[in-house]
Amino acid sequence: KTLVHRFVPYDNIVFTLTCVRLASASRYNSKSLVKNIGVGSDLRLPHTSPGRSSSLEGLNMSVLLETSKGDLVIDLFVDECPTACRNFLKLCKIKYYNNNVFYNVQRNFMAQTGDPTGTGKGGDSIFKLLYGEQARFFDDEIRPDLKHKRKGMVGMASAGDNLNASQFYITTAEELTSLDEKHTIFGEVGEGHDTLERINEVFCDDAGRPYQNVRIKHAIVLDDPYDDMPGLESHIPDASPEFVRDPNDGRLEDDWIPDEEKRSQAEIDESMRKQEAKSRAVVLEMIGDLPEADVDPPDNVLFVCKLNAVTTDEDLEI
């Protein structure tokens, strides 16, 4: 599944083949590609899963998920699960998944996301957004030949039978037979297994929520075989929604940078001096030399000190 990026000369013309998986590249040659695809085209050759055939007419439809842990390319099973794939593609197109967190990460099992509320209890299908509450959920598309055999299988995280909306999961282990024929598997990770492993290894609380938020930053549709439904265009924003931090969420973002790495050395030194002075003031308050640690002298006073009991006015004369 290694990607190759190379320039291929043909009839003194140079064109680029991108996203070519080596496992499939041997089935095609440069002349036939130029004839069928065209000079200067970007080509994604189909990924061949065991038991699945490939052809230029059956190219996998794909989505690129840019996460705070790296990129994931999701290849979709548009023939087997057309409704789930259409829902996923159109939600990506309207940037519904942008800024969604992975709210449940179970190590060596799965990672769940796709809920804008970040709770695992929200999320709507594209059909509800277009047609109303009665169309919030869509039916399962369970196919006996699609199993959770490999890492990176992508399925609908449904609330029950035929209750699919926007939430989905990505498996992080092999042979998860307990999930087979219970959820709609509509795709698999084609590239980015290193990113998936980084998500799998995050530290989480007892509920599976990462201590540092892992987010889908952007969802980019690479291929879409479906025509847009009437009314979809009005839901497509001009730009990616701006990230707004939840004031009630005390977790750090995954790309959080410590203050020390954002400040100059002079700013760090000044901050350390203030902290040291504060610590000394607290000690003086504890031993009774200051009424309180935060006390400030008047503007016309250079310094404040406590004199010994034997000190006289003459001792202070200059």
Side-chain angles (χ1 to χ4, degrees):
K1 298 181 181 179
T2 305
L3 300 182
V4 296
H5 300 269
R6 55 177 179 164
F7 293 99
V8 181
Y10 173 61
D11 291 345
N12 297 320
I13 299 175
V14 176
F15 66 101
T16 307
L17 299 181
T18 61
C19 299
V20 180
R21 293 188 177 90
L22 295 181
S24 301
S26 61
R27 298 194 56 198
Y28 305 94
N29 59 66
S30 60
K31 290 187 177 181
S32 64
L33 288 172
V34 172
K35 178 180 179 181
N36 290 290
I37 303 302
V39 174
S41 297
D42 285 341
L43 170 69
R44 170 179 289 277
L45 290 178
H47 168 55
T48 305
S49 301
R52 292 167 57 83
S53 62
S54 297
S55 68
L56 283 175
E57 291 76 21
L59 293 176
N60 279 343
M61 301 303 110
S62 304
V63 167
L64 170 64
L65 299 181
E66 295 180 351
T67 79
S68 50
K69 288 293 187 182
D71 296 345
L72 296 167
V73 174
I74 309 298
D75 290 339
L76 303 177
F77 303 149
V78 294
D79 293 332
E80 296 88 340
C81 306
T83 303
C85 290
R86 188 181 195 189
N87 176 71
F88 184 70
L89 284 164
K90 301 311 178 183
L91 287 177
C92 289
K93 194 166 187 176
I94 67 171
K95 308 186 187 303
Y96 188 83
Y97 290 125
N98 289 26
N99 300 319
N100 283 200
V101 297
F102 284 84
Y103 59 84
N104 183 20
V105 178
Q106 303 293 334
R107 183 169 295 185
N108 297 329
F109 186 54
M110 68 167 62
Q112 289 181 259
T113 184
D115 175 10
T117 70
T119 63
K121 300 178 181 179
D124 296 315
S125 71
I126 192 64
F127 310 108
K128 188 250 181 170
L129 299 177
L130 293 176
Y131 310 127
E133 183 65 33
Q134 76 283 357
R136 180 184 179 188
F137 301 109
F138 59 90
D139 290 348
D140 295 329
E141 294 174 300
I142 295 174
R143 305 292 181 253
D145 59 327
L146 291 176
K147 306 288 187 182
H148 297 82
K149 291 183 177 181
R150 298 180 296 279
K151 294 181 181 179
M153 303 307 292
V154 183
M156 295 302 303
S158 60
D161 292 344
N162 300 314
L163 294 178
N164 303 286
S166 66
Q167 297 183 39
F168 64 94
Y169 63 84
I170 306 175
T171 61
T172 55
E174 299 176 347
E175 299 296 343
L176 298 179
T177 56
S178 62
L179 299 176
D180 288 346
E181 299 189 40
K182 295 179 181 177
H183 299 272
T184 298
I185 302 174
F186 64 92
E188 66 178 317
V189 174
E191 288 108 29
H193 286 274
D194 54 339
T195 296
L196 183 60
E197 188 58 30
R198 285 193 288 271
I199 296 174
N200 180 50
E201 293 177 350
V202 299
F203 292 100
C204 302
D205 60 22
D206 293 340
R209 179 70 182 265
Y211 287 113
Q212 283 188 292
N213 289 325
V214 180
R215 295 186 183 274
I216 298 173
K217 294 192 170 184
H218 301 283
I220 302 169
V221 177
L222 303 180
D223 301 291
D224 184 358
Y226 307 108
D227 293 335
D228 289 346
M229 303 90 101
L232 183 72
E233 187 175 355
S234 64
H235 291 270
I236 301 175
D238 294 331
S240 179
E242 183 179 353
F243 171 64
V244 179
R245 183 173 178 82
D246 181 358
N248 298 318
D249 184 4
R251 298 172 190 267
L252 297 174
E253 291 302 312
D254 189 64
D255 53 1
W256 171 78
I257 300 175
D259 287 342
E260 285 73 11
E261 297 183 16
K262 296 185 291 185
R263 298 184 297 175
S264 66
Q265 188 59 46
E267 291 174 321
I268 294 174
D269 292 342
E270 176 66 18
S271 176
M272 292 179 66
R273 285 193 292 269
K274 289 181 178 179
Q275 291 177 8
E276 185 178 358
K278 175 69 174 178
S279 298
R280 290 177 177 176
V282 170
V283 173
L284 292 175
E285 180 185 13
M286 293 173 63
I287 64 178
D289 282 358
L290 282 178
E292 57 184 49
D294 295 327
V295 65
D296 290 326
D299 293 338
N300 61 346
V301 175
L302 296 179
F303 65 92
V304 177
C305 64
K306 186 175 182 178
L307 302 177
N308 292 327
V310 297
T311 302
T312 65
D313 291 343
E314 290 77 8
D315 295 326
L316 298 176
E317 290 182 358
I318 298 177

